[in-house]
Each structure stands twice: as structure tokens, then as C-alpha cells.
Amino acid sequence: MVERVPASFSPARIRAAFLRRSALVRCCFLLVVAVIVVGLAGCARSEDTRTTVRFWVMGYEGEVVAKLLPEFERQHPGIRVDLQIVPWLSAHEKLLTAFAGESLPDVSPIGNTWIPEFAALGALDPLDDRIAATPGFDQADFFPGVWDTGVIDGRAYAVPWYVETRLPFYRRDMLAKAGVKTLPTRWDEWRVALRKVKQVAGEGNYSILLPLNEFEPLLSLAVQQPEPLLRDGGRYGNFRSEGFRQSLGFYKEMFDQGWAPVVTNNQISNVWDEFGKGFYSFYISGPWNIAKFKERLPAAQQDDWMTMPLPGPTGPGASLANGTSFVVFKDSPNKEAAWKLIAWLSSPKVQAEFHALTGDLPPRRSPWLTPALAEDPYAKAFREQLERAVSTPKVPEWERIATEMRLVGEQVANGRVTVDQAVEELDRRADRILEKRRWMLDQADKAGAAP
């Protein structure tokens, strides 16, 4: 028997049902597409329209500043900061490579000794007009020598972020044992203290550590003299000046008298432990060692050490204005936003907060009024020293010259050359390094004198 197909399943009705279902599917598909398009349009309307500031920061400070940036973005809703942390060891090369490839960030803190180099390359944007137009930006609040590190040929190319200066850490108990009742402020007084400490230090111990693999101790003595280290606008070395001769002579005397060991840092297992053991009682170093000595010395010795300003030839001496400073790169398309970031990070409140997180020293006076700094006995000497901080010669070649100073200073300490031989050799080496600079300056002078 043949089974009949119900009328509802006739070919015509099946075809009609299929067409209806296809239409429904198409409608659903178009509806989904419409929803997606509307959603994408909504996303387009909600895209981040803020100005993006590319910000490169070196080392540990980059990790710390990342904690501060959300508050800056909250206060400046039209700006987003794209932070990139760069290792210090590769930072200089990375910046030069970026300059050559026209891919520098908008803003970055750079080492103070790098500022002349990047200014000479034409990579930096002058900041004088922005500084003058910014309400509340108190340039006079910055320590003068620290501010001066960013001024090239009378124009400000950088704003200091944090400062490093060098001064002696000393053993109070050893000075008391030696009968030194008053801290020396002049070199003649320091000589007496060094001699007395050596007498009570014991066999194999010394008065002061001047590591031969560092140029900073000799340079710290040299910058206390009135004569510049380079002459004729940075064209030639000035190491044969009477002032530098005196500084190098005092440096040599500390080794000749046996007050300082003829060693490098690499020959000392641990500078903090050896300080605590009495291997030396004076150590010229920077503010980072405040935290290190607090950490490394045992609790029983925490009252045995302190910091002091550098003695000078005839009174309280000068020291170095090292550290880093903010710059805006000339090709930045976001200079106004980059400057707002600099101004915010340079404010006293933010600088005080940055110090609390890092221990880095503020380059302006007002943050030093906060209890964390004003009540820190170890920071007091640094506050005083910063009033007499001075910048190093503002030539791109300075770091190479400083390296030669270290090498020649090591020969002096080892008794291989005299002071007279050393200053002549330093001038020869500096003049050779500055040869290209002289040529360029001479060409510029000729072009300026042409009718």
C-alpha cells in the first residue's frame, strides 16, 4: 500500500517554508551585522583622544615614577604618558641611536654631563620661554649650581630632576679617638685630622679611601679652585693652572703620607663593611650611601658615622652638581604636554614624594623643608653642600677628559709621575680630545666674521 504524503509536506509548501526561513536567517544576519557596526562606531567614538607623551626614564627611577604618573594623568585628563624604562648602561647609546633614526621620545631625564652633547647635536628644545610662562615655576628655588648644569650659552635646555653631589662620610668615633674635636672646614685642618686618625687607626688601616678607579674624588677637590678646568671657551685643557696643581698636590699627599691606600674599589670586598671595621675613616661618596650605611652597618655602629661638607683650600669647599635633568627633544610633536609633565614632576610636593620613594636628593630648596629631609641628620651636610655645588665643564667631550684625569691621577698616586708631569700630560690629552671642537668653533667664528 502506498502511503500518502500529507498535503502540508507538498513540494510547493516545503519550498515556501524554506524561502521564509531563508528570509528570516538573512534578517537575523543583517541585524547582527548592524549591531556590530553600531558597536564599532561606538568604540570609534570612545577612542582615546588624549595627547600621548612618550617618556623615557632610566633605571630604578623609572620604576618609581610609574607610581606617580596616574596622579599626573588624573590632574591632566587630556594627556596620557607612555612610559618606557631604559637601563642606564644602554641609555646613552639608545638616545644617540634614536636621534639618528629620528625616533627620540618627547621628554626624558638625561645625565647632567650629557646635556652639552645633545645640545650641540641640536636635539634639545630651549625651555626659557616655557619656564617664564609657567605660573608658580620658581627658578630661584633651585640650587644655583645645579640649575646651571642645564644652561648652555645662556639658554636653559634642562630642568634638574634629582641631584647627586659628593662629600665625606666619616667615622665619628675614630675622630674622637684621635682627638679631633672640630670637623675640618679647610685643607690644612683636614691634613691634621687625617694624620691623627692614621696614628690611631692601627697597622694596615688608613684615614681615607680614594678609589683609583673613580675620577670623582680628584674632581671633587679640583672644582673647589677658582680656575676653570678648561680654558678659552672649552678649547683647551687648563690643568697647568695653579689651582689644579694645588688640588692634585693635595691628592698626591694623601697617598704619599700613607693616609690613603693605593687601591681600587675592586680590591675591597665591601666598602661598607671595611668602613665599619676601621680600614678607613673618611670616604667621599654620594647620597645613595646614606641608606647603604644604615642597612649594612650593625645597630651598635649606627651612632659611629656621619656626613660632613667637603673642606676647601681656605674654607668650606665646593662639590659636584651631578644627577639628571629633564629635557624636551626638539622634534617632539607634543612639546606643550611634555613641558606640563616636567613642570608637575618638578613641583616641590612631587619632588618631596619622589625623595620619600627613592632617597634621591631634590634639586630645589623648598622640598628640603619637609620633615623627611629637614630632620635627617645624615642629609644635613648634603643640603649645605648643594649651596656650593658647581657644574663640570659644559663640553660634549668632558666624560672622556674625566676618564683621562682618572688614569693620570692613578699614575700620580702610584708615584710614577710628578705633579708637574701629570698636569702637562693632562693638558696634552685634553687638547687632543678637544681638537675637533676647536676646529668647529673656529669655523663658526670665521662664518660669523664673514661680511
Side-chain angles (χ1 to χ4, degrees):
M1 173 176 147
V2 178
E3 185 176 357
R4 294 183 59 189
V5 177
S8 60
F9 287 91
S10 66
R13 296 179 72 92
I14 292 174
R15 185 166 52 252
F18 176 77
L19 292 174
R20 285 196 301 272
R21 176 168 292 186
S22 297
L24 179 61
V25 169
R26 285 196 301 272
C27 288
C28 291
F29 175 76
L30 292 173
L31 180 61
V32 169
V33 170
V35 170
I36 292 174
V37 170
V38 171
L40 290 174
C43 290
R45 286 193 298 271
S46 63
E47 278 183 356
D48 194 341
T49 59
R50 296 178 294 175
T51 299
T52 297
V53 173
R54 296 175 62 225
F55 186 32
W56 288 6
V57 182
M58 292 69 177
Y60 172 67
E61 282 74 16
E63 300 174 22
V64 173
V65 80
K67 302 174 183 178
L68 303 176
L69 293 179
E71 178 61 19
F72 169 78
E73 292 180 341
R74 188 190 69 79
Q75 295 183 23
H76 300 80
I79 301 175
R80 183 180 75 86
V81 181
D82 178 14
L83 173 67
Q84 180 176 343
I85 301 174
V86 180
W88 266 113
L89 289 177
S90 60
H92 186 262
E93 181 180 355
K94 185 176 177 66
L95 286 167
L96 288 176
T97 301
F99 171 74
E102 299 182 350
S103 58
L104 284 166
D106 297 298
V107 60
S108 177
I110 64 175
N112 287 349
T113 57
W114 301 355
I115 297 169
E117 177 182 9
F118 283 91
L121 289 172
L124 306 183
D125 197 52
L127 301 176
D128 303 86
D129 292 343
R130 297 187 188 279
I131 292 168
T134 303
F137 191 92
D138 186 5
Q139 178 181 328
D141 191 35
F142 288 80
F143 295 107
V146 178
W147 180 267
D148 183 62
T149 60
V151 179
I152 309 294
D153 295 330
R155 306 183 77 180
Y157 287 94
V159 172
W161 187 21
Y162 61 87
V163 62
E164 296 174 357
T165 194
R166 305 280 176 127
L167 50 69
F169 289 67
Y170 71 96
R171 287 282 301 270
R172 294 199 294 188
D173 58 331
M174 289 298 294
L175 266 65
K177 184 178 179 181
V180 179
K181 299 179 180 179
T182 304
L183 287 178
T185 60
R186 304 190 310 266
W187 283 0
D188 58 348
E189 297 171 342
W190 204 8
R191 286 184 174 94
V192 173
L194 291 167
R195 184 178 69 251
K196 288 184 175 181
V197 169
K198 173 62 179 176
Q199 290 171 351
V200 301
E203 186 67 27
N205 294 327
Y206 298 85
S207 304
I208 187 170
L209 177 66
L210 303 169
L212 297 181
N213 58 329
E214 296 181 359
F215 64 80
E216 286 86 357
L218 175 55
L219 181 58
S220 295
L221 299 177
V223 297
Q224 298 177 37
Q225 301 291 353
E227 298 97 332
L229 295 171
L230 304 179
R231 62 183 176 85
D232 295 350
R235 288 174 166 84
Y236 298 94
N238 196 36
F239 296 101
R240 280 177 281 194
S241 67
E242 183 58 31
F244 185 79
R245 286 176 185 270
Q246 290 180 2
S247 295
L248 186 58
F250 183 36
Y251 182 77
K252 183 177 187 297
E253 180 183 359
M254 287 189 270
F255 292 99
D256 291 347
Q257 294 292 334
W259 301 336
V262 186
V263 297
T264 67
N265 271 345
N266 298 328
Q267 295 171 272
I268 299 177
S269 59
N270 184 305
V271 294
W272 310 284
D273 289 349
E274 296 300 330
F275 181 76
K277 293 175 183 177
F279 182 53
Y280 46 86
S281 296
F282 289 95
Y283 178 39
I284 299 175
S285 190
W288 57 88
N289 265 325
I290 293 178
K292 285 294 184 182
F293 280 122
K294 288 180 180 179
E295 173 190 342
R296 297 300 188 100
L297 293 181
Q301 283 193 293
Q302 286 301 320
D303 291 333
D304 292 346
W305 66 280
M306 187 49 69
T307 58
M308 59 176 275
L310 264 169
T314 59
S319 192
L320 307 174
N322 292 333
T324 67
S325 298
F326 292 116
V327 297
V328 175
F329 291 104
K330 196 166 188 178
D331 291 339
S332 166
N334 304 307
K335 293 176 184 176
E336 183 177 353
W339 170 251
K340 288 180 179 179
L341 176 61
I342 291 176
W344 187 81
L345 287 170
S346 300
S347 66
K349 179 178 181 298
V350 177
Q351 284 202 345
E353 186 176 354
F354 184 70
H355 164 75
L357 293 171
T358 63
D360 292 338
L361 301 184
R364 52 190 304 173
R365 298 181 179 93
S366 50
W368 285 83
L369 300 175
T370 59
L373 282 163
E375 299 174 6
D376 184 346
Y378 302 102
K380 181 180 179 182
F382 283 96
R383 169 64 180 81
E384 180 181 339
Q385 191 71 72
L386 286 173
E387 292 289 356
R388 298 188 297 275
V390 296
S391 61
T392 52
K394 299 174 188 177
V395 299
E397 301 86 355
W398 172 249
E399 289 191 348
R400 293 171 57 197
I401 296 173
T403 298
E404 298 301 327
M405 181 189 298
R406 178 186 66 78
L407 295 173
V408 174
E410 182 177 359
Q411 293 181 331
V412 170
N414 280 281
R416 299 192 190 108
V417 297
T418 66
V419 169
D420 287 342
Q421 291 170 333
V423 296
E424 291 178 6
E425 179 62 21
L426 271 174
D427 270 346
R428 278 194 294 269
R429 296 187 186 192
D431 292 352
R432 185 168 60 248
I433 292 171
L434 295 167
E435 184 175 6
K436 182 177 179 180
R437 173 178 173 81
R438 287 196 298 277
W439 182 85
M440 293 177 65
L441 291 175
D442 290 344
Q443 296 304 307
D445 290 344
K446 291 177 181 177

